[in-house]
Amino acid sequence: MDGPRADAEQLALAAKAGDRAALSALHPLVAPALVAWARLRVRARLRVHLDPDDLVQDVWVRAMGVIASFAPENCTFRAWLFRVAKNVLLEAQRAAHRGVPGSGDTSLVGRLHAIPADVTSVTQRVSRDEGVQTFLAEVEKLDPTDRRLVVHCGLEEMTQVEVATMLGIDYEALAKRWQRLRAKLATWGAAAGLA
């Protein structure tokens, strides 16, 4: 695990123990991956109901509300965070499908006052970051299966076995494809650290 990810793990453990400063320092480390994930997962038809930046903020608030449930012996903080993120996204999709007004906000509407200003400013800054924008533009050029690999293996840190099963792809084929894709991601420079 590289420097920023190792730092995030340490900060997550401290945040789990109640360290508010660690919680504040943790968000900027994981926000680029969350923003990229939200932009890739909230496709155009859903954006009518759900703004990716609102989703990122809701995920962060939700995750920090349940940080005590983070179990480092079971998975990395990032994998845990993206499990929370997927649940928040599923709630938003269900609400949008039902046509609930303001549905894209899921539980965010009632908690807007609870979002610290630094969470909003970090999300806005990361959303405009050139490295994140370049990463997203390059991912959009990939075929649909490779985009899913970036999301699931790279951003969400699902295991290759889990992703192969989910996508119905032979594990060996997926492993080779992910290895080639990781080499391609590495050529994208600093933004490659997102996945």
Side-chain angles (χ1 to χ4, degrees), residues 116-127:
D118 62 327
V119 170
T120 300
S121 65
V122 167
T123 302
Q124 290 172 346
R125 179 180 48 78
V126 169
S127 291

Side-chain angles (χ1 to χ4, degrees), residues 158-171:
M158 290 176 66
T159 68
Q160 291 177 25
V161 171
E162 291 172 314
V163 177
T165 301
M166 182 177 66
L167 299 181
I169 298 174
D170 175 70
Y171 169 77

Side-chain angles (χ1 to χ4, degrees), residues 38-39 42 46-56 104-105:
R39 297 287 168 103
V42 180
L46 184 56
R47 288 185 186 200
V48 172
H49 303 283
L50 179 63
D51 179 84
D53 289 350
D54 289 347
L55 176 64
V56 168
D105 301 328

